[in-house]
Every structure is written in structure tokens, then in C-alpha cells.
Amino acid sequence: MDGRRQVQWSPTRVDRPQRSRLKGQEPCVVWFTGLSGAGKSTLADTLEARLHADGRHTYLLDGDNLRHGLNRDLGFSADDRRENIRRVGEVAALMVDAGLIVIAAFISPFRADRDAIRQLLPGRFIEVHVDTPLEVCERRDPKGLYRKARAGQLKDFTGLDSPFEAPESAELRIDTSRLGVEDAVQQILDHLRGRQYPERAGH
């Protein structure tokens, strides 16, 4: 017998609206997607700092950081990348249920994987496409990954020999070759306030 059939969801007396009220905010996920070197992690870190300074309860999920623990068993094949994002989506959903504003920075190259998380978090998934041109990302190359990929030391590198499927309906599009970090983050904050995500519950 399939053991999964024996697993049932256990209801709890404390739910997301109660946790949200306690924290004084409406939870959501701000999901940064884009090529390596586009500026995702910098934007995500700055956004969290701004929200934290404003008294918001946040958590930042960063692709490299999670590969040190939760996803350390995964490689960079297409299947492993999909599993990487699936796991992150499930973690993000739990954090939203806990009442947090979650900030996620992942290349997340496949549209279907991002859309699956959007469906997991209806109305609470804000996709930010960091649409910085490939040539700019490669020129920056902060981790030397493009150089290694060009030298044949890295296979299936997104943007070179593995595709990046750009969002078709992202809430925000930011090109960090044209927009500075602070201005870009302010644009995200304005969008959040427009959707009332960071507003304190009951206000």
C-alpha cells in the first residue's frame, strides 16, 4: 500500500490570518527571477533591509544559501533545478502561512516552475523579473561562472547552453543596467504598498 495514502492534513487552531494580525502585516512572496549576475540577490537583500527597518517581519531565501543545506543534494540538471524550485516554493508557502513577507532570489529559469508557485500562493506571489541583458550579466560575472561556462568547466549554464524562460506576466520588470539599486527597490516598495501587502493589518 502506498504510504502517502495514510498521510492526512492535520488542522490547527492557529491559522494564517491570526498570525498575520499578530505581526501586523499581510504576508506574500516577492520572487526575483533572472540570469546569474542580473542583480537579484542585491535587490532582495536591500528590499529586506528596507522592510525590516520599517518594522516588517521578513525572511530572505537565497538560491546559493539554500544549496548549503536544504538543497545540498541537488545538482544543476533540468530535473534538479525543477526540484530545487519546488522545494523552495513549499518552504515559501509555509513562511507565508506563518505571516511573513518572504523574499526569494533564484534564477528559476523555467516558467512552469514559477507558475506552480504562483498557483500555490494565489494572490500572494509577486514576480519580479530582473531583466538585465546577458552581456551586462556576463561582464559583471561576480562569481566567475560565465568565465567557467565559456571555458567548458560548467555545463547547462542558464543563458548560455541552458534556456531562461522569461516571465510572460511578471508584476514588475527591472533592468539593473538602467536602474540603480535604491530606485529599483523603491519601485518594488511602491508596488507592494499599492497592493497593500506591507500595510499593517487592521489599518
Side-chain angles (χ1 to χ4, degrees):
M1 180 179 292
D2 187 348
R4 288 175 296 183
R5 295 181 181 179
Q6 308 304 312
V7 179
Q8 298 181 8
W9 187 268
S10 297
T12 59
R13 284 182 285 180
V14 180
D15 59 13
R16 177 178 48 75
Q18 291 171 296
R19 300 183 189 104
S20 299
R21 285 194 295 271
L22 185 64
K23 292 177 174 60
Q25 63 185 30
E26 281 296 324
C28 66
V29 173
V30 181
W31 188 281
F32 291 90
T33 181
L35 297 173
S36 177
K40 301 180 300 299
S41 293
T42 299
L43 292 175
D45 183 57
T46 304
L47 175 63
E48 185 181 37
R50 290 281 299 275
L51 288 169
H52 182 77
D54 195 33
R56 308 303 173 184
H57 298 257
T58 63
Y59 198 84
L60 172 58
L61 297 171
D62 181 84
D64 282 357
N65 292 350
L66 263 66
R67 281 185 177 274
H68 284 279
L70 178 68
N71 294 332
R72 67 188 304 172
D73 59 320
L74 299 176
F76 292 91
S77 67
D79 286 345
D80 279 359
R81 289 182 179 192
R82 291 188 179 95
E83 175 60 14
N84 179 50
I85 298 306
R86 187 197 69 81
R87 292 183 191 180
V88 174
E90 294 289 347
V91 170
L94 290 172
M95 289 184 164
V96 167
D97 195 52
L100 298 176
I101 297 172
V102 183
I103 301 159
F106 293 83
I107 292 174
S108 46
F110 304 123
R111 191 178 299 124
D113 298 338
R114 301 189 304 266
D115 288 347
I117 302 172
R118 185 184 290 277
Q119 293 172 16
L120 190 63
L121 292 160
R124 298 184 181 276
F125 182 82
I126 299 166
E127 191 173 29
V128 181
H129 181 197
V130 188
D131 191 15
T132 305
L134 172 61
E135 59 270 20
V136 175
C137 297
E138 187 166 1
R139 188 165 62 246
R140 290 173 179 171
D141 203 11
K143 302 171 185 175
L145 300 178
Y146 286 96
R147 177 177 51 79
K148 291 179 180 179
R150 292 289 188 189
Q153 298 172 15
L154 291 178
K155 301 296 183 183
D156 300 320
F157 191 77
T158 302
L160 298 184
D161 55 353
S162 184
F164 176 80
E165 299 173 357
E168 295 180 335
S169 56
E171 280 70 19
L172 287 167
R173 175 187 170 276
I174 292 171
D175 178 352
T176 61
S177 70
R178 297 177 177 270
L179 197 63
V181 172
E182 292 299 330
D183 288 340
V185 168
Q186 187 59 54
Q187 191 175 111
I188 298 166
L189 288 169
D190 290 344
H191 180 85
L192 286 170
R193 292 188 179 110
R195 296 177 63 129
Q196 297 184 338
Y197 279 109
E199 295 297 328
R200 296 189 182 280
H203 286 218

